[in-house]
Amino acid sequence: MEKEKRTHKSHCIVLPYPSQGHINPMLQFSKRLVHNGAKVTLAVTCFISKSLLGDSGPITIETISDGYDEGGFAQAESGAAYMERFRVVGSETLGSLIEKLKSSGCPVDCVVYDAFLPWALDVAKKLGLVGAVFFTQSCTVNNIHYHVHQGMLTLPLSEPEVVVPGLFPLQACDLPSLVYLYGSYPDFFNMIVNQFSNIEKVDWVFCNTFYKLEEKVVDWMAKICPLRTIGPTLPSAYLDKRLGDDKDYGLNMLMPVTGVCMEWLDSKPNGSVVYASYGSFAKLEPEQMEEVAWGLRRSNAYFLMVVRESEQAKLPQNFKEETAEKGLVVSWCPQLEVLAHRALGCFLTHGGWNSTLEALSLGVPMVVAPLWIDQPTNAKCVEDVWGIGLRARADDKGIVRREVLEDCIGKVMGSDGLKEIKNNALKWKNLAREAVDEGGSSDKCIDEFVAKLTAS
């Protein structure tokens, strides 16, 4: 590799956990760093690099290994085995990448790493670099997990109501599922709690949120760690429009069916469509998939439903054909374009943090049917804290029934729909934009970060 002439203020390696929902916000944050004069190298695993489609724009892509180059997470014997192998092999190959970039005349100043990968901080510190952790979940959820890690929230829970410093009162069922249902998915529980294993050594803590959205909890956490809010991390075209032709995240693991989706939406009246998607990772139980399908059909609204190819066999027989006059079912879609479309009236979502922030930033009311991890807490915030949607509650079997979905969609979409929800959605849309506008709270944090890296 030929040596590069250093023309940038600083050089950051950005290391996301290898999944679409973690790559998107960290890639978008990387674009903001580049806009402020930094050079960014996005480090992805060898396996993930083979499936990425699209263009990373000004971001350089390099690879490291998670120890499972042929199959990634699916190749591992268990979640615990994957994370341990990733720690060992990832530490070694990340270190090698940093040394390679140094010898090429493009030395790294900082490692910005996904909070799921705390070992990256140890690599950074060993090599004398600045370490910055990036939390892809809300500050509210991070605060709960922090209290679990510190032993200040004892598990299993013994009371139906929980009081966490810095937060509003919570029912046990409003907590992240790995906390509320203690003992479920222990590998994921350990990964999430271990985000805080070495946080006292970190130089910067970034959270993909914005100050006014979670003001109280941000202030509380800023007292215990160097927390900065840098969100919402959406492409610039949907917020401040400062990054030129930045209309999408750039790298996709699934190919969106763009033309069909947008043509179909163009043919529908303003505010008439329910967009239903459970994200890039979730796998619905067959019974739940059937209830969602029937709930959409019974709502009598137009609907655009995303069901990944691997999940489509769970749809009711002949569902696509029988609902063709009202609905469109696709394997994947350009979510931001869909949410920004004039025809959208409601987003039926699992309540993952990226989807929640996208809908909030684009002023789209939500019906949230949470599945696990942070989603119940996000649903609580959507309904009771921010007032931008309704939570569709599950029955004793953990299934959200069609009648519940029909009722929630009707309340949000109907002609006598909840005006307060729509007004709140517009309010938060404006506040999200203000956060990343020049001089906004998130914009100032990114300016400060690049300026201090440059000075050092």
Side-chain angles (χ1 to χ4, degrees), residues 44-51 63-66 68-70:
V44 299
T45 62
C46 296
F47 173 71
I48 288 293
S49 72
K50 300 170 189 175
S51 60
T63 59
I64 65 168
S65 177
D66 57 5
Y68 297 96
D69 293 348
E70 300 306 314

Side-chain angles (χ1 to χ4, degrees), residues 61-100:
I61 306 292
E62 293 278 0
T63 59
I64 65 168
S65 177
D66 57 5
Y68 297 96
D69 293 348
E70 300 306 314
F73 185 87
Q75 187 184 347
E77 312 85 72
S78 66
Y82 177 78
M83 293 305 294
E84 177 57 21
R85 184 76 174 148
F86 196 1
R87 182 188 68 81
V88 174
V89 180
S91 295
E92 180 182 337
T93 53
L94 176 61
S96 298
L97 173 60
I98 292 169
E99 291 296 336
K100 181 182 83 168

